Amino acid sequence: MSRVVSGPPRPTGLPEPLASLDRTAVMGVLNVTPDSFSDGGRYLDAQQAIAHGIALAEAGADLVDVGGESTRPGATRVPPEQEIARVLPVVTALVDAGVVVSIDTMHAECAAVAVRAGATVVNDVSGGLADPTMHATVAALGVPYVAMHWRGHSAEMAELAHYDDVVAEVVGELSDRVAQARAAGVDSGGMGLDPGLGFAKDADHNWALLRHLDVLAAVGLPVLVGASRKRFLGSLLADDPAQPRPVAERDAATDAVSALAASHGVWAVRVHDVRGSRDAVRVAAAWTRGSERG
Ligand code: PMM
């Protein structure tokens, strides 16, 4: 007997097989930067970055998120020309190799160059706040757009982590981003929303947002979660409160977040260790929907 299996809500405009995936998608992280908190400096060389992007896809990433500017707390901005020089050869080679690529950028110019080189999703951690031309650019490019919750650049985000009701405020501020994107011509059906874990948020804020993902999902757009190896997981797992679990030892916790996020119907998880999260989202799909593929 055949069973109808439908995956979580996802943005329109994705290429196959992503468009008809019957489970949560796994987005592999590829930072072509000297200073990202987890993989900074490892893939600044284009050939190493390309090899890692292909390895992420081979490990089961449904798409690979290429970024050329670190957003770690305190990071300094990178001019768009430098960011483009970092990501363009990598995006081009990955697309040539058949990898589905998203471009992680706050610069409209970088988004446009990457999409022209074959990237199929724009992932903007600022939701359009960092570059006033981003939404019009995405509208013209006509590609899916992820808007993350963001209050300010890395240098200032710790001071902006104040909320009376973090869930209501994050959802409200993201809804404003959606309205602004729509007004600029972005098709909201092609949007995804991300609570922006760790961006102007402390550990309690992150856990509250994860606990109430349903409130974000109720906006009616697909949800992406980026918890991978982040500091709140290191703090949770610390044996000594003064010593967070090292970044390289946070993948099992990341996998647990991926499984739980998938069981709550998120469209995608953004992770460094693809294999573990791929297993996790498959388990969640089988558990919640009886999916046997994947
Ligand atoms: N986190 C980082 C970078 N880009 N994009 C989205 N959509 N969501 C995130 O949570 C997110 C992101 C920072 O982490 P990294 O240094 O590992 O890339």
Side-chain angles (χ1 to χ4, degrees), residues 27 29-31 33 35-40 65 67 69-72 104-105 123-125 146-149 193-199 224-230 270-272:
M27 174 187 268
V29 178
L30 178 54
N31 288 313
T33 62
D35 54 348
S36 292
F37 82 95
S38 175
D39 56 356
D65 191 40
E69 175 176 6
S70 169
T71 51
R72 74 180 298 158
D104 184 349
T105 185
N123 172 28
D124 175 4
V125 297
V146 177
M148 198 193 80
H149 179 262
L193 298 180
D194 183 327
L197 302 176
F199 286 79
L224 185 147
V225 167
S228 188
R229 297 181 182 169
K230 284 187 178 170
R270 181 182 179 281
V271 296
H272 302 88

Side-chain angles (χ1 to χ4, degrees), residues 16-88:
E16 291 294 347
L18 261 183
S20 52
L21 208 61
D22 67 346
R23 57 162 169 75
T24 294
V26 177
M27 174 187 268
V29 178
L30 178 54
N31 288 313
V32 192
T33 62
D35 54 348
S36 292
F37 82 95
S38 175
D39 56 356
R42 291 181 65 186
Y43 310 115
L44 195 52
D45 170 73
Q47 291 315 313
Q48 278 171 340
I50 293 161
H52 187 60
I54 290 171
L56 289 170
E58 284 173 354
D62 300 295
L63 67 171
V64 171
D65 191 40
V66 180
E69 175 176 6
S70 169
T71 51
R72 74 180 298 158
T76 46
R77 298 292 327 265
V78 174
E81 317 77 64
Q82 192 180 354
E83 190 187 355
I84 290 168
R86 287 178 182 172
V87 298
L88 184 57

Side-chain angles (χ1 to χ4, degrees), residues 161 163 166-167 197-198 200-212 231-233 235-236:
Y163 303 85
V166 66
V167 176
L197 302 176
K201 285 154 206 103
D202 65 22
D204 289 343
H205 298 139
N206 294 334
W207 289 118
L209 287 162
L210 287 170
R211 197 175 309 121
H212 295 289
R231 194 189 324 188
F232 75 112
L233 298 179
S235 309
L236 175 78

Side-chain angles (χ1 to χ4, degrees), residues 138-199:
V138 170
L141 293 168
V143 292
Y145 176 62
V146 177
M148 198 193 80
H149 179 262
W150 184 92
R151 283 188 164 180
H153 288 290
S154 301
E156 65 208 23
M157 68 184 175
E159 297 153 31
L160 301 169
H162 298 290
Y163 303 85
D164 291 322
D165 178 339
V166 66
V167 176
E169 286 169 57
V170 165
V171 171
E173 288 166 33
L174 274 177
S175 300
D176 293 345
R177 302 288 82 229
V178 176
Q180 200 201 39
R182 248 189 215 142
V186 175
D187 169 14
S188 56
M191 285 185 70
L193 298 180
D194 183 327
L197 302 176
F199 286 79

